[in-house]
DNA sequence: ACCTGAACACCGTTCAAGT
DNA sequence: ACCTGAACACCGTTCAAGT
């Protein structure tokens, strides 16, 4: 808590990330971050420009936790593993996916983007498929995680309770949704959906390259 | 502006949506919404519970603008058209995609979800593919739009300028990104990326059904 | 160079008072 | 039933003063 080492940008970002992990990004306040570090608010402004810039820095700290992709293996396996690593990190910092598209990329994210593009380029998919594939893959990583977290948070802790309440109240009006909710509840194993959908995209990219080639 | 009809939940939501469209959701304030309607702040609380609930209502207003899917045609065509309609609406209200995963679904969104599930169910893909397909499709609609808007907003109005500045400064350090940025800048037509990636997903779902069917 | 007290212009929300 | 003045506990940020 109140460790009285001198303040620094890095210590501020770390404290802010921890706070957001624990209390959510909506509760994040310059004053709360300063409190956690046992300094007064205004001191923060000696090391970060303002709250927006601090949030950009926080996201880049998180992106820095994503392991760089493997240097060998089939491109699809490498891509799947790298996406899984990103997914794990974004699941650990539940506020981060929501910030992803709002913040300009910092140094860690630039390197991350570069690594994704490298995988796709070295797969020799052709420039057009690389271009579109990059957007498709990053969209999936961030979008899927965001959706997953959204489910958890809006349904709250008592997931089962909420779901069965929905089934009783509105199940008759929304038959297809009722069926879907039953799918969420049931003990049926849906496997790794994140990897499954990414697989569809990667296979599709592969196939559309073949079409272009031949 | 200051039309002095009596206040109502619906008028408040409409005014708030207009304000967010014009100035962004970060600038949205209870006081500003009240000002736009020529009432005082506190009056809003007679019609909406609080700011969070107002935002949920605003998102549901936006979802209500999405045309319901066609009742005939191949399931992929229907899905593509419905997704395009949603994409158009979310592009018109640039703040909405970012709220999507944060807000509990309102009545319009429940009907929207139901319509997506109906399309997939009637396509006879099998329960497992319907379950995963629903997540994949909604993820794509919201995630892709979010990413598109993020590009626009972080790059700002002077897109070309920013991009060529990046190319000169960091092009050497990030060769793959440099190539990608050139793709964004060039006059090469990339076609409808939104539809293209959704196509990969829909074809993949179709194919994985065939596999399951055996 | 870095920390901070005081201050400013704003927030969301409540509550009692009006009509 | 709906509107509102006053107030409360908070914000982000600036600036001049301290060391």
């Amino acid at each position: 808590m109140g460790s009285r080492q001198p303040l620094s940008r890095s210590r501020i970002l770390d404290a802010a990330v921890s706070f957001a992990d624990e209390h959510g990004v909506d509760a994040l306040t310059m004053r709360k971050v300063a409190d956690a570090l046992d300094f007064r608010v205004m001191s923060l402004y000696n090391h970060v420009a303002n709250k927006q810039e601090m949030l950009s820095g926080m996201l880049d700290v998180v992106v820095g936790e994503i392991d760089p992709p493997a240097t060998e293996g089939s491109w699809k396996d490498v891509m799947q593993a790298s996406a899984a690593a990103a997914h794990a990190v974004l699941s650990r910092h539940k506020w981060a996916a929501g910030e992803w598209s709002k913040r300009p990329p910092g140094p860690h994210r630039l390197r991350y983007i570069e690594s994704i593009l490298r995988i796709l380029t070295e797969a020799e998919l052709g420039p057009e498929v690389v271009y579109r594939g990059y957007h498709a893959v990053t969209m999936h990583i961030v979008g899927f995680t965001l959706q997953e977290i959204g489910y958890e948070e809006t349904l709250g802790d008592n997931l089962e309770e909420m779901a069965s309440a929905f089934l009783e109240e509105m199940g008759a009006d929304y038959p297809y949704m009722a069926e879907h909710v039953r799918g969420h509840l049931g003990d049926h194993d849906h496997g790794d959906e994140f990897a499954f959908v990414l697989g569809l995209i990667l296979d599709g990219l592969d196939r559309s390259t073949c079409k272009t080639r031949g």
Side-chain angles (χ1 to χ4, degrees), chain A residues 75-158:
Chain A
W75 75 272
K76 287 190 203 174
D77 288 350
V78 172
M79 194 76 249
Q80 281 279 7
S82 176
H87 182 246
V89 168
L90 291 178
S91 299
R92 204 155 62 218
H93 306 284
K94 297 198 184 302
W95 51 275
E99 297 298 314
W100 192 283
S101 63
K102 293 193 216 172
R103 309 289 160 201
H108 283 128
R109 184 147 148 223
L110 289 175
R111 280 200 298 174
Y112 176 74
I113 292 172
E114 185 75 0
S115 73
I116 300 286
L117 284 167
R118 185 175 54 71
I119 295 170
L120 292 171
T121 306
E122 292 180 351
E124 301 192 4
L125 299 167
E128 196 60 27
V129 175
V130 169
Y131 181 87
R132 289 165 144 180
Y134 165 73
H135 292 151
V137 167
T138 57
M139 178 273 290
H140 175 260
I141 292 171
V142 178
F144 195 97
T145 313
L146 203 52
Q147 182 172 251
E148 244 179 11
I149 292 166
Y151 273 116
E152 287 173 28
E153 310 225 314
T154 71
L155 284 178
D157 306 319
N158 40 7

Coordinates of all heavy atoms in Angstrom, one line a residue, chain A residues 75-158:
Chain A
W75 N 1.3 -21.7 -39.3 CA 0.9 -20.3 -39.0 C -0.4 -20.3 -38.2 O -0.7 -19.5 -37.4 CB 0.8 -19.5 -40.3 CG -0.4 -19.8 -41.2 CD1 -0.5 -20.7 -42.2 CD2 -1.7 -19.1 -41.2 NE1 -1.7 -20.7 -42.8 CE2 -2.5 -19.7 -42.2 CE3 -2.2 -18.1 -40.4 CZ2 -3.8 -19.3 -42.5 CZ3 -3.5 -17.7 -40.7 CH2 -4.3 -18.3 -41.7
K76 N -1.3 -21.3 -38.5 CA -2.6 -21.3 -37.8 C -2.4 -21.7 -36.3 O -3.0 -21.1 -35.5 CB -3.5 -22.4 -38.4 CG -4.1 -21.9 -39.8 CD -5.2 -22.9 -40.2 CE -5.4 -22.9 -41.7 NZ -6.3 -23.9 -42.1
D77 N -1.5 -22.6 -36.1 CA -1.2 -23.0 -34.7 C -0.6 -21.8 -33.9 O -0.9 -21.5 -32.8 CB -0.2 -24.2 -34.6 CG -0.9 -25.5 -35.0 OD1 -2.1 -25.5 -35.1 OD2 -0.2 -26.5 -35.2
V78 N 0.3 -21.1 -34.6 CA 1.0 -19.9 -34.0 C 0.0 -18.9 -33.7 O -0.1 -18.3 -32.6 CB 2.1 -19.4 -34.9 CG1 2.7 -18.1 -34.3 CG2 3.2 -20.4 -35.0
M79 N -0.9 -18.6 -34.7 CA -1.9 -17.6 -34.5 C -2.9 -18.0 -33.4 O -3.3 -17.1 -32.5 CB -2.7 -17.5 -35.8 CG -3.6 -16.3 -36.0 SD -2.6 -14.8 -36.3 CE -2.9 -14.0 -34.8
Q80 N -3.3 -19.2 -33.3 CA -4.2 -19.7 -32.3 C -3.6 -19.5 -30.9 O -4.2 -19.0 -30.0 CB -4.6 -21.2 -32.5 CG -5.7 -21.4 -33.5 CD -7.1 -21.2 -33.0 OE1 -7.3 -20.7 -31.9 NE2 -8.1 -21.5 -33.8
A81 N -2.3 -19.9 -30.8 CA -1.6 -19.8 -29.5 C -1.5 -18.3 -29.1 O -1.7 -18.0 -27.9 CB -0.2 -20.4 -29.6
S82 N -1.1 -17.5 -30.1 CA -1.0 -16.1 -29.7 C -2.3 -15.4 -29.3 O -2.3 -14.6 -28.4 CB -0.4 -15.3 -31.0 OG -0.3 -13.9 -30.7
A83 N -3.4 -15.8 -30.0 CA -4.7 -15.3 -29.7 C -5.1 -15.7 -28.3 O -5.7 -15.0 -27.6 CB -5.7 -15.7 -30.8
A84 N -4.8 -17.0 -28.0 CA -5.2 -17.5 -26.7 C -4.4 -16.8 -25.6 O -5.0 -16.5 -24.5 CB -4.8 -19.0 -26.6
A85 N -3.2 -16.4 -25.9 CA -2.4 -15.6 -24.9 C -3.0 -14.3 -24.7 O -3.2 -13.8 -23.5 CB -0.9 -15.5 -25.4
A86 N -3.4 -13.6 -25.8 CA -4.0 -12.3 -25.6 C -5.4 -12.4 -24.9 O -5.7 -11.6 -24.0 CB -4.2 -11.7 -27.0
H87 N -6.1 -13.5 -25.2 CA -7.4 -13.7 -24.6 C -7.3 -13.9 -23.1 O -8.0 -13.3 -22.3 CB -8.1 -14.9 -25.2 CG -9.4 -15.2 -24.7 ND1 -9.7 -16.4 -24.0 CD2 -10.6 -14.5 -24.8 CE1 -11.0 -16.4 -23.6 NE2 -11.5 -15.3 -24.1
A88 N -6.2 -14.6 -22.7 CA -6.0 -14.8 -21.3 C -5.7 -13.5 -20.6 O -6.2 -13.3 -19.5 CB -4.9 -15.8 -21.1
V89 N -4.8 -12.7 -21.2 CA -4.4 -11.5 -20.6 C -5.6 -10.5 -20.4 O -5.9 -9.9 -19.4 CB -3.3 -10.8 -21.3 CG1 -3.1 -9.3 -20.9 CG2 -2.0 -11.6 -21.2
L90 N -6.4 -10.4 -21.5 CA -7.6 -9.5 -21.5 C -8.7 -10.0 -20.5 O -9.5 -9.3 -20.0 CB -8.2 -9.4 -22.9 CG -7.3 -8.6 -23.9 CD1 -8.0 -8.6 -25.3 CD2 -7.0 -7.2 -23.4
S91 N -8.7 -11.3 -20.3 CA -9.7 -11.9 -19.3 C -9.2 -11.6 -17.9 O -10.1 -11.5 -17.0 CB -9.8 -13.4 -19.5 OG -10.3 -13.7 -20.8
R92 N -7.9 -11.4 -17.7 CA -7.4 -11.2 -16.4 C -7.6 -9.7 -16.0 O -7.8 -9.4 -14.9 CB -5.9 -11.4 -16.4 CG -5.2 -11.7 -15.1 CD -4.0 -12.6 -15.3 NE -2.9 -11.9 -16.1 CZ -2.1 -12.5 -17.0 NH1 -2.3 -13.8 -17.3 NH2 -1.2 -11.8 -17.6
H93 N -7.6 -8.8 -17.0 CA -7.8 -7.4 -16.8 C -9.1 -7.0 -17.5 O -9.1 -6.5 -18.7 CB -6.7 -6.6 -17.4 CG -5.3 -7.0 -16.9 ND1 -4.9 -6.6 -15.6 CD2 -4.3 -7.7 -17.4 CE1 -3.6 -7.1 -15.4 NE2 -3.3 -7.8 -16.5
K94 N -10.2 -7.2 -16.8 CA -11.5 -7.2 -17.5 C -11.9 -5.9 -18.1 O -12.8 -5.8 -18.9 CB -12.6 -7.7 -16.6 CG -12.4 -9.2 -16.1 CD -13.7 -9.8 -15.5 CE -13.4 -11.2 -15.0 NZ -12.9 -12.1 -16.1
W95 N -11.3 -4.8 -17.7 CA -11.6 -3.5 -18.2 C -10.9 -3.2 -19.5 O -11.2 -2.3 -20.3 CB -11.2 -2.4 -17.2 CG -9.7 -2.6 -16.7 CD1 -9.3 -3.5 -15.7 CD2 -8.6 -2.1 -17.3 NE1 -7.9 -3.5 -15.7 CE2 -7.5 -2.6 -16.6 CE3 -8.3 -1.2 -18.4 CZ2 -6.1 -2.3 -17.0 CZ3 -7.0 -0.9 -18.7 CH2 -5.9 -1.4 -18.0
A96 N -9.8 -4.0 -19.8 CA -8.9 -3.6 -20.9 C -9.5 -3.7 -22.3 O -9.3 -2.9 -23.1 CB -7.6 -4.4 -20.8
A97 N -10.3 -4.8 -22.5 CA -10.9 -5.0 -23.9 C -11.7 -3.8 -24.2 O -11.8 -3.3 -25.4 CB -11.7 -6.3 -23.9
G98 N -12.4 -3.2 -23.3 CA -13.3 -2.1 -23.5 C -12.5 -0.8 -23.9 O -13.1 0.1 -24.5
E99 N -11.3 -0.7 -23.5 CA -10.4 0.4 -23.7 C -9.7 0.3 -25.1 O -9.3 1.3 -25.7 CB -9.4 0.6 -22.6 CG -10.0 0.9 -21.3 CD -10.8 2.2 -21.2 OE1 -10.3 3.2 -21.8 OE2 -11.9 2.2 -20.7
W100 N -9.5 -1.0 -25.5 CA -8.7 -1.3 -26.7 C -8.9 -0.3 -27.8 O -8.0 0.3 -28.4 CB -8.9 -2.7 -27.1 CG -7.9 -3.2 -28.1 CD1 -7.9 -2.9 -29.4 CD2 -6.8 -4.1 -27.8 NE1 -6.8 -3.6 -30.0 CE2 -6.1 -4.3 -29.0 CE3 -6.3 -4.7 -26.6 CZ2 -5.0 -5.1 -29.1 CZ3 -5.1 -5.5 -26.8 CH2 -4.5 -5.7 -28.0
S101 N -10.2 -0.2 -28.2 CA -10.5 0.5 -29.5 C -10.6 2.0 -29.2 O -10.6 2.8 -30.2 CB -11.8 0.0 -30.1 OG -12.8 0.3 -29.2
K102 N -10.5 2.4 -27.9 CA -10.6 3.9 -27.7 C -9.3 4.6 -27.5 O -9.3 5.8 -27.5 CB -11.4 4.0 -26.3 CG -12.8 3.6 -26.3 CD -13.5 4.2 -25.0 CE -14.5 3.2 -24.5 NZ -15.1 3.6 -23.2
R103 N -8.2 3.8 -27.4 CA -6.9 4.4 -27.1 C -6.0 4.3 -28.2 O -5.9 3.2 -28.9 CB -6.3 3.7 -25.8 CG -7.2 3.6 -24.6 CD -7.5 4.9 -24.0 NE -8.7 4.9 -23.1 CZ -9.3 6.0 -22.8 NH1 -8.8 7.2 -23.2 NH2 -10.4 6.0 -22.0
P104 N -5.1 5.3 -28.4 CA -4.1 5.1 -29.5 C -3.1 4.1 -29.0 O -2.8 3.9 -27.8 CB -3.5 6.5 -29.5 CG -3.8 7.1 -28.2 CD -5.1 6.6 -27.7
P105 N -2.5 3.3 -29.9 CA -1.6 2.3 -29.6 C -0.3 2.8 -29.0 O 0.3 3.8 -29.5 CB -1.3 1.6 -30.9 CG -1.7 2.6 -32.0 CD -2.7 3.4 -31.4
G106 N 0.1 2.2 -27.9 CA 1.4 2.5 -27.3 C 2.5 1.6 -27.8 O 2.2 0.8 -28.7
P107 N 3.7 1.7 -27.3 CA 4.8 0.9 -27.9 C 4.6 -0.6 -27.8 O 4.9 -1.3 -28.8 CB 6.0 1.3 -27.0 CG 5.4 2.1 -25.9 CD 4.1 2.7 -26.3
H108 N 4.1 -1.1 -26.7 CA 3.8 -2.6 -26.6 C 2.8 -3.0 -27.7 O 2.9 -4.1 -28.3 CB 3.3 -3.0 -25.2 CG 4.4 -3.0 -24.2 ND1 4.3 -2.4 -23.0 CD2 5.6 -3.7 -24.2 CE1 5.4 -2.6 -22.3 NE2 6.2 -3.4 -23.0
R109 N 1.8 -2.2 -27.8 CA 0.8 -2.6 -28.8 C 1.3 -2.5 -30.2 O 0.9 -3.3 -31.1 CB -0.5 -1.7 -28.6 CG -1.6 -2.1 -29.5 CD -2.9 -1.8 -28.9 NE -3.9 -1.5 -29.8 CZ -4.8 -0.5 -29.7 NH1 -4.8 0.2 -28.6 NH2 -5.7 -0.3 -30.6
L110 N 2.1 -1.5 -30.5 CA 2.7 -1.5 -31.9 C 3.5 -2.8 -32.1 O 3.4 -3.4 -33.2 CB 3.7 -0.3 -32.0 CG 3.0 1.1 -32.0 CD1 4.0 2.2 -32.0 CD2 2.1 1.2 -33.3
R111 N 4.2 -3.2 -31.2 CA 5.0 -4.5 -31.4 C 4.1 -5.7 -31.5 O 4.3 -6.6 -32.3 CB 5.9 -4.7 -30.2 CG 7.2 -3.9 -30.3 CD 8.3 -4.5 -29.4 NE 7.9 -4.5 -28.0 CZ 8.6 -5.0 -27.0 NH1 9.7 -5.7 -27.3 NH2 8.1 -5.0 -25.8
Y112 N 3.0 -5.6 -30.7 CA 2.0 -6.7 -30.8 C 1.4 -6.7 -32.2 O 1.3 -7.8 -32.9 CB 0.9 -6.5 -29.8 CG -0.2 -7.5 -29.8 CD1 0.0 -8.8 -29.4 CD2 -1.4 -7.2 -30.4 CE1 -1.0 -9.8 -29.5 CE2 -2.4 -8.2 -30.5 CZ -2.2 -9.4 -30.0 OH -3.2 -10.4 -30.1
I113 N 0.9 -5.6 -32.7 CA 0.4 -5.5 -34.1 C 1.3 -6.0 -35.1 O 1.0 -6.8 -36.0 CB 0.0 -4.0 -34.4 CG1 -1.2 -3.6 -33.5 CG2 -0.4 -3.9 -35.9 CD1 -1.4 -2.1 -33.7
E114 N 2.6 -5.6 -34.9 CA 3.6 -6.0 -35.9 C 3.7 -7.6 -35.9 O 3.9 -8.2 -36.9 CB 5.0 -5.4 -35.5 CG 6.1 -5.6 -36.4 CD 6.0 -4.9 -37.7 OE1 5.1 -4.1 -37.9 OE2 6.9 -5.0 -38.5
S115 N 3.7 -8.2 -34.7 CA 3.8 -9.6 -34.6 C 2.7 -10.4 -35.3 O 2.9 -11.4 -35.9 CB 4.0 -10.1 -33.1 OG 2.7 -10.0 -32.5
I116 N 1.5 -9.8 -35.1 CA 0.3 -10.5 -35.8 C 0.5 -10.4 -37.3 O 0.3 -11.4 -38.1 CB -1.0 -9.7 -35.4 CG1 -1.3 -9.8 -33.9 CG2 -2.2 -10.3 -36.2 CD1 -1.7 -11.2 -33.5
L117 N 0.9 -9.2 -37.8 CA 1.1 -9.0 -39.2 C 2.2 -9.9 -39.8 O 2.1 -10.4 -40.9 CB 1.3 -7.5 -39.5 CG 0.1 -6.6 -39.5 CD1 0.5 -5.1 -39.5 CD2 -0.8 -6.9 -40.6
R118 N 3.2 -10.1 -39.0 CA 4.3 -10.9 -39.4 C 3.8 -12.4 -39.6 O 4.1 -13.0 -40.6 CB 5.4 -10.9 -38.4 CG 6.7 -11.7 -38.8 CD 7.8 -11.6 -37.8 NE 7.5 -11.9 -36.5 CZ 7.2 -13.1 -36.0 NH1 7.3 -14.2 -36.9 NH2 6.9 -13.3 -34.8
I119 N 3.0 -12.9 -38.7 CA 2.5 -14.2 -38.8 C 1.7 -14.4 -40.1 O 2.0 -15.3 -40.9 CB 1.6 -14.6 -37.6 CG1 2.4 -14.6 -36.3 CG2 0.9 -15.9 -37.8 CD1 1.5 -14.7 -35.1
L120 N 0.9 -13.4 -40.4 CA 0.0 -13.5 -41.5 C 0.8 -13.4 -42.8 O 0.6 -14.1 -43.8 CB -1.1 -12.5 -41.5 CG -2.1 -12.7 -40.4 CD1 -3.1 -11.4 -40.3 CD2 -3.0 -13.9 -40.7
T121 N 1.8 -12.5 -42.8 CA 2.6 -12.2 -44.0 C 3.4 -13.5 -44.3 O 3.5 -13.9 -45.5 CB 3.5 -11.0 -43.8 OG1 2.7 -9.9 -43.4 CG2 4.2 -10.7 -45.1
E122 N 4.1 -14.0 -43.3 CA 4.9 -15.2 -43.5 C 4.1 -16.4 -43.9 O 4.7 -17.4 -44.4 CB 5.8 -15.4 -42.3 CG 6.8 -14.3 -42.1 CD 7.7 -14.5 -40.9 OE1 7.5 -15.4 -40.1 OE2 8.7 -13.7 -40.7
A123 N 2.8 -16.4 -43.6 CA 2.0 -17.5 -44.1 C 1.8 -17.5 -45.6 O 1.1 -18.4 -46.1 CB 0.7 -17.5 -43.3
E124 N 2.2 -16.4 -46.2 CA 2.1 -16.3 -47.7 C 0.7 -16.4 -48.1 O 0.3 -17.2 -49.0 CB 3.0 -17.3 -48.4 CG 4.5 -17.1 -48.0 CD 5.4 -17.9 -48.8 OE1 4.9 -18.6 -49.8 OE2 6.6 -17.9 -48.6
L125 N -0.2 -15.6 -47.5 CA -1.6 -15.6 -47.9 C -1.8 -14.6 -49.0 O -2.9 -14.6 -49.6 CB -2.4 -15.2 -46.7 CG -2.3 -16.1 -45.5 CD1 -2.9 -15.5 -44.2 CD2 -3.0 -17.5 -45.7
G126 N -0.9 -13.8 -49.3 CA -1.1 -12.8 -50.3 C -1.5 -11.5 -49.6 O -2.2 -11.5 -48.6
P127 N -1.1 -10.4 -50.2 CA -1.3 -9.1 -49.5 C -2.8 -8.8 -49.2 O -3.0 -8.2 -48.1 CB -0.7 -8.0 -50.5 CG -0.6 -8.8 -51.8 CD -0.5 -10.2 -51.5
E128 N -3.7 -9.1 -50.0 CA -5.1 -8.8 -49.8 C -5.6 -9.5 -48.6 O -6.3 -9.0 -47.8 CB -5.9 -9.1 -51.0 CG -7.3 -8.4 -51.1 CD -7.2 -6.9 -51.0 OE1 -6.1 -6.3 -51.4 OE2 -8.1 -6.3 -50.4
V129 N -5.3 -10.8 -48.5 CA -5.8 -11.6 -47.4 C -5.1 -11.3 -46.1 O -5.7 -11.3 -45.0 CB -5.6 -13.2 -47.7 CG1 -6.1 -14.0 -46.5 CG2 -6.5 -13.5 -49.0
V130 N -3.8 -10.9 -46.2 CA -3.1 -10.4 -45.0 C -3.8 -9.2 -44.4 O -4.1 -9.1 -43.2 CB -1.7 -10.1 -45.3 CG1 -1.0 -9.3 -44.1 CG2 -0.9 -11.4 -45.6
Y131 N -4.1 -8.3 -45.3 CA -4.8 -7.0 -44.9 C -6.1 -7.3 -44.2 O -6.4 -6.8 -43.1 CB -5.0 -6.1 -46.2 CG -5.7 -4.8 -46.0 CD1 -4.9 -3.7 -45.6 CD2 -7.0 -4.7 -46.0 CE1 -5.5 -2.5 -45.4 CE2 -7.6 -3.4 -45.8 CZ -6.9 -2.3 -45.5 OH -7.5 -1.1 -45.3
R132 N -7.0 -8.0 -44.9 CA -8.3 -8.3 -44.3 C -8.1 -9.3 -43.1 O -8.9 -9.2 -42.1 CB -9.2 -9.0 -45.3 CG -9.6 -8.0 -46.4 CD -10.1 -8.7 -47.6 NE -11.2 -8.0 -48.2 CZ -11.9 -8.5 -49.2 NH1 -11.6 -9.6 -49.8 NH2 -12.9 -7.7 -49.7
G133 N -7.2 -10.2 -43.2 CA -7.1 -11.1 -42.1 C -6.6 -10.5 -40.8 O -7.1 -10.8 -39.7
Y134 N -5.8 -9.5 -40.9 CA -5.4 -8.8 -39.7 C -6.6 -8.1 -39.0 O -6.7 -8.3 -37.8 CB -4.3 -7.7 -40.0 CG -4.2 -6.7 -38.9 CD1 -3.5 -7.1 -37.8 CD2 -4.7 -5.4 -39.0 CE1 -3.3 -6.2 -36.7 CE2 -4.6 -4.5 -37.9 CZ -3.9 -4.9 -36.8 OH -3.8 -4.1 -35.7
H135 N -7.4 -7.5 -39.8 CA -8.6 -6.9 -39.1 C -9.5 -7.9 -38.5 O -10.1 -7.8 -37.5 CB -9.4 -6.1 -40.2 CG -8.7 -4.8 -40.7 ND1 -8.8 -4.3 -41.9 CD2 -7.7 -4.1 -40.0 CE1 -8.1 -3.2 -42.0 NE2 -7.4 -3.1 -40.9
A136 N -9.6 -9.0 -39.3 CA -10.5 -10.1 -38.8 C -10.0 -10.7 -37.5 O -10.8 -10.9 -36.5 CB -10.7 -11.2 -39.9
V137 N -8.7 -10.9 -37.4 CA -8.2 -11.6 -36.2 C -8.2 -10.7 -35.0 O -8.6 -11.1 -33.9 CB -6.7 -12.0 -36.5 CG1 -6.0 -12.4 -35.2 CG2 -6.7 -13.2 -37.5
T138 N -7.8 -9.4 -35.2 CA -7.8 -8.6 -34.0 C -9.2 -8.3 -33.6 O -9.5 -8.2 -32.4 CB -7.1 -7.2 -34.3 OG1 -7.7 -6.6 -35.4 CG2 -5.6 -7.4 -34.6
M139 N -10.1 -8.2 -34.5 CA -11.5 -8.0 -34.2 C -12.0 -9.1 -33.3 O -12.7 -8.9 -32.3 CB -12.4 -7.9 -35.5 CG -13.8 -7.8 -35.4 SD -14.6 -9.4 -35.2 CE -14.4 -10.1 -36.9
H140 N -11.6 -10.4 -33.7 CA -12.1 -11.5 -33.0 C -11.5 -11.5 -31.5 O -12.3 -11.8 -30.6 CB -11.7 -12.8 -33.7 CG -12.0 -14.0 -32.9 ND1 -11.1 -14.7 -32.1 CD2 -13.2 -14.7 -32.7 CE1 -11.7 -15.7 -31.5 NE2 -12.9 -15.7 -31.8
I141 N -10.2 -11.2 -31.4 CA -9.6 -11.3 -30.1 C -10.3 -10.3 -29.1 O -10.7 -10.7 -28.0 CB -8.1 -11.0 -30.2 CG1 -7.4 -12.1 -31.0 CG2 -7.5 -10.8 -28.8 CD1 -5.9 -11.8 -31.3
V142 N -10.4 -9.1 -29.6 CA -11.0 -8.1 -28.7 C -12.5 -8.2 -28.6 O -13.0 -8.2 -27.4 CB -10.6 -6.6 -29.2 CG1 -11.3 -5.6 -28.3 CG2 -9.1 -6.4 -29.2
G143 N -13.2 -8.4 -29.7 CA -14.6 -8.5 -29.7 C -15.2 -9.7 -28.9 O -16.1 -9.6 -28.1
F144 N -14.5 -10.8 -29.1 CA -15.0 -12.0 -28.4 C -14.9 -11.9 -26.9 O -15.8 -12.2 -26.1 CB -14.3 -13.3 -28.9 CG -15.0 -14.5 -28.6 CD1 -15.8 -15.2 -29.5 CD2 -14.8 -15.1 -27.3 CE1 -16.5 -16.4 -29.1 CE2 -15.4 -16.3 -27.0 CZ -16.2 -16.9 -27.9
T145 N -13.7 -11.4 -26.5 CA -13.4 -11.3 -25.1 C -14.4 -10.3 -24.5 O -14.9 -10.5 -23.4 CB -12.0 -10.8 -24.9 OG1 -11.1 -11.6 -25.6 CG2 -11.6 -10.9 -23.4
L146 N -14.6 -9.2 -25.2 CA -15.5 -8.1 -24.7 C -16.9 -8.7 -24.5 O -17.5 -8.4 -23.5 CB -15.6 -7.0 -25.8 CG -16.0 -5.6 -25.4 CD1 -15.2 -5.1 -24.2 CD2 -15.9 -4.7 -26.6
Q147 N -17.3 -9.6 -25.4 CA -18.7 -10.1 -25.3 C -18.7 -11.1 -24.1 O -19.7 -11.1 -23.4 CB -19.0 -10.9 -26.6 CG -20.4 -11.5 -26.6 CD -20.8 -12.0 -28.0 OE1 -21.6 -11.4 -28.7 NE2 -20.1 -13.1 -28.4
E148 N -17.7 -11.9 -24.0 CA -17.6 -12.9 -22.9 C -17.8 -12.1 -21.5 O -18.6 -12.5 -20.7 CB -16.3 -13.6 -22.9 CG -16.4 -15.0 -23.2 CD -14.9 -15.6 -23.2 OE1 -14.0 -14.9 -22.9 OE2 -14.8 -16.8 -23.6
I149 N -17.0 -11.1 -21.4 CA -17.0 -10.3 -20.1 C -18.3 -9.7 -19.9 O -18.8 -9.6 -18.8 CB -15.8 -9.3 -20.2 CG1 -14.5 -10.0 -20.1 CG2 -15.9 -8.3 -19.0 CD1 -13.3 -9.1 -20.5
G150 N -18.9 -9.1 -21.0 CA -20.2 -8.5 -20.9 C -21.2 -9.4 -20.4 O -22.0 -9.1 -19.5
Y151 N -21.2 -10.7 -20.8 CA -22.2 -11.7 -20.3 C -22.0 -11.8 -18.8 O -23.0 -11.7 -18.0 CB -21.9 -13.0 -21.0 CG -22.7 -13.3 -22.2 CD1 -22.0 -13.4 -23.4 CD2 -24.1 -13.3 -22.2 CE1 -22.7 -13.6 -24.6 CE2 -24.8 -13.5 -23.4 CZ -24.1 -13.7 -24.6 OH -24.7 -13.9 -25.8
E152 N -20.7 -12.0 -18.4 CA -20.5 -12.2 -17.0 C -21.0 -11.1 -16.1 O -21.6 -11.3 -15.1 CB -19.0 -12.4 -16.8 CG -18.3 -13.7 -17.2 CD -16.8 -13.6 -17.1 OE1 -16.3 -12.9 -16.2 OE2 -16.1 -14.3 -17.9
E153 N -20.7 -9.9 -16.6 CA -20.9 -8.7 -15.8 C -22.4 -8.3 -15.7 O -22.9 -8.0 -14.7 CB -20.1 -7.5 -16.2 CG -18.6 -7.9 -16.4 CD -17.7 -6.9 -15.8 OE1 -17.8 -5.7 -16.1 OE2 -16.7 -7.3 -15.2
T154 N -23.1 -8.4 -16.9 CA -24.5 -8.0 -16.8 C -25.3 -9.1 -16.2 O -26.4 -8.8 -15.6 CB -25.1 -7.7 -18.2 OG1 -25.2 -8.9 -19.0 CG2 -24.2 -6.7 -19.0
L155 N -24.9 -10.4 -16.3 CA -25.6 -11.4 -15.6 C -25.3 -11.5 -14.1 O -26.1 -12.0 -13.3 CB -25.4 -12.8 -16.3 CG -26.1 -13.0 -17.6 CD1 -25.7 -14.3 -18.2 CD2 -27.6 -12.9 -17.4
G156 N -24.2 -10.9 -13.8 CA -23.8 -10.8 -12.4 C -23.3 -12.2 -11.8 O -23.1 -13.1 -12.6
D157 N -23.2 -12.2 -10.5 CA -22.6 -13.4 -9.9 C -23.6 -14.6 -9.9 O -23.2 -15.7 -10.1 CB -22.2 -13.1 -8.4 CG -21.3 -11.9 -8.4 OD1 -20.4 -11.8 -9.2 OD2 -21.6 -11.1 -7.5
N158 N -24.8 -14.3 -9.8 CA -25.8 -15.3 -9.7 C -26.4 -15.7 -11.1 O -27.5 -15.6 -11.4 CB -27.0 -14.9 -8.8 CG -27.3 -13.4 -9.0 OD1 -26.8 -12.8 -9.9 ND2 -28.3 -12.9 -8.3

